[in-house]
Amino acid sequence: MEAVRRTILGSRGLPLAWTLRAYDRRALPRDVIAGLTVAALIVPLSIGYAQVAGLPPEVGLYASLAPLVAYALLGSARRLIVGPDAATAALIGATIAPLAVLADDRVRLAGALGLLVGLVFVVMRLASLGFLANLLSKPILIGYMTGVGVDVAIGQIPKLFGGRPLEAVFDLVGGVATTGIEAGVLVEAFRLAFRAGAISWPSVVVGGLVIVTMFLGGRLLPRVPWALVAILGALAGSALFDLQSRGVQVLGPVPGGLPPIGIPYVSIQEAAALLPGALGLAILSFADTTATGRTFSEKHGEETDPDRELVALAGADIAGSLTGGYPVSASPSRTGASERAGSQTQLVGLVAAVTVLIVLLFLTGPMAYLPIPALAGVIFVSAIGLINLGGIRELLRRRMAEGVIAIAAALGVVLYGTLMGVVIAVLLATLDVFRRAATPRIVELGREPTSGEFLDLSRWTAAQRVPGVLVLRQSGPLFFANATTLRDAITSMLRTRPGTRAVVLDMRTVGDIDLTAVDVLRQLVDKLAADEVQLAFARPTGPVRDGLRAGGLGEFVGPEDMPAAGVAAVIERLGLGDGKGPAATSDVADTPDTDGPGGEPAGDTDAQDAGRRGLAVRIGVVLVGLAGVLVVGALLLRDPGEPTSSPTPPAAVVVPNVVGLPAERASDVIERAGLEVGTSDYIALPDRPEGTVMDQAPEAGSLVESATSVDMVISTGHQIVVVPDVRGLPQAEAIVTLTGLGLRIDEVVPLADAQVPAGHTIDTQPPAGSRLPEGSSVDLRVSDDTAAPSPSAASPSAAP
């Protein structure tokens, strides 16, 4: 129990408590002013970010109340402000959208998502996984945030313009997945989409004024909360000029009062569907929070504790979930505003929370008249601030590979969405780690005449090669992914160095070695011996010496009760020394050494070895857990209807049972049974896993002929779209009609049809009347020129 208390409270109790014990009362006015400044930013941004997540405006205010208090009590960063954020809001919306049908479902699912994220943080803290703060590197974060900024900014453009035209254009852009559409048809489709409705010019003026106010004001007077100024100005304009009657959409009634308190219950299936998003939110939020907190703390000579941040974020997300909110993250913009206003402690967060509470209790009435374009303008400016093209340009200049990673992360978010963007970002980070480990830096060393030290020949021109000896050093662990790289490098260098009698590997920067690497070295010993070249190891660290001995190479590392020999001593022992240099016999293990600028540090300490072993244990636990999940999933998803005996003769095929299987798996089972996949109908069931077969025809166990079609009814959490009848419509008009309903044009198939004019629609596949989830693909069949009727023929009218 004491261990749990110390985990939650820390060794000195709540951080805010021990901060206030040494509190300077003269800092109180600055903390209060900073708290009011932060609240002035929180109110409009929280409402706007709630809309980004597809949630009611009051939910954004709820998410800015309890989480602020929880982090103020538990967080280790004295100036960090948490709350709704553009990146997390976009990811929350992407996570709950496939599961939610009604608005109440979205609120409930968002709250449950916050609870799951909080529990993920609890598990991370109990497993001491604070090191995961470094999982997302700077290039990954820059690219991801840039992608989110672009995605959120684009999403606000329709609200800034009002009306339908740009929304139809964006639907068209997102819904055309084929390159088979002729350029002229595509241009005509864009023209028709743009004409689908009229631009609301009063909306354009309101949104434009907000954007100009925030951009110019932020540069001229950065301390002023221009977001609040712009929102108050928009409210005044809405009341004075009755903007709603002029076609400007307003926010509408915002429920006031205290936030609801309770646990947001979800089904097991819904929780399982939310878990991937919760993991992505936890990683992103933790990386962003620790990076932001560390940045602002270091400016003031303070420190942050990653494990303490896990506890604080868990408390903030759980508190927000239980009080009607959703997952939160650090806010660099609000933290920066707080610092510029003179914040000293987390009293700023408490003052801001009290201010938000006052707004909820007494000031929600006027918000009903808030113009949506004004709110969109605030979010647009905030999202633009996330786009860091200068950072990407700097990465490309300094290290091309990391700049490319940042661009890939940004494109992943823009092209595939925020949820997939997190997956892409984590995969890129993991691949980058493996890339670095698999391509280690291998340098050739030479002896510096004055000191006798062995230094990197590419950096120290005074260093000289020892005749007949090739001295190499590799940085990083030696394991299965890079062992052959080292072997190939040695083999390649020996081809250009005839007369070499020995290869000496300086192992002081190799922290660990695995069995595969030992086997590669043993094979290398035999290969070099056949060429009358000796292989020796200098200054191996403890774990490396143990690994080499266990692999049968103990004779190459010396006796256990003696320190490992250095490079010079190994060369002398081989009988190849030239007797020059003071380090000829005194170069022993663990002697501090450097290669000058950019040189590699000496061997690992025992504490570092212990840390690596602890890390290996934690990673092993995680991998075992993932393996268990995969095994259980494989057992649950196995085909209950898969035949275990020889297939039924083609004349009489038994229909397998595919109810309960994922649709793709069910299709595979049907085809392997010698049947064909028929039409698929969809039914909105948000409490069932997405894409699960709910019914089939013919029934399981029926005896049918081979190649009989099996139709399926499949569950979906998306909105159901009925494919319209577009027969006879011009191709461009049919494309706009389908994409406007949320469908995607996957392929345009030209067919010869004398009854339909060239360029007009014959039909769709699936056919008109089919029920599909929003976002599904549809093939369009269009009449070809080769069978077009004469111009005098009347064009058939579109079916209703």
Side-chain angles (χ1 to χ4, degrees), residues 184 350 405 449 459:
L350 297 181
I405 289 174
R459 294 177 178 269

Side-chain angles (χ1 to χ4, degrees), residues 561-583:
D561 56 350
M562 295 292 292
V567 176
V570 167
I571 292 175
E572 290 293 327
R573 188 180 64 198
L574 294 174
L576 300 174
D578 53 11
K580 297 179 181 179

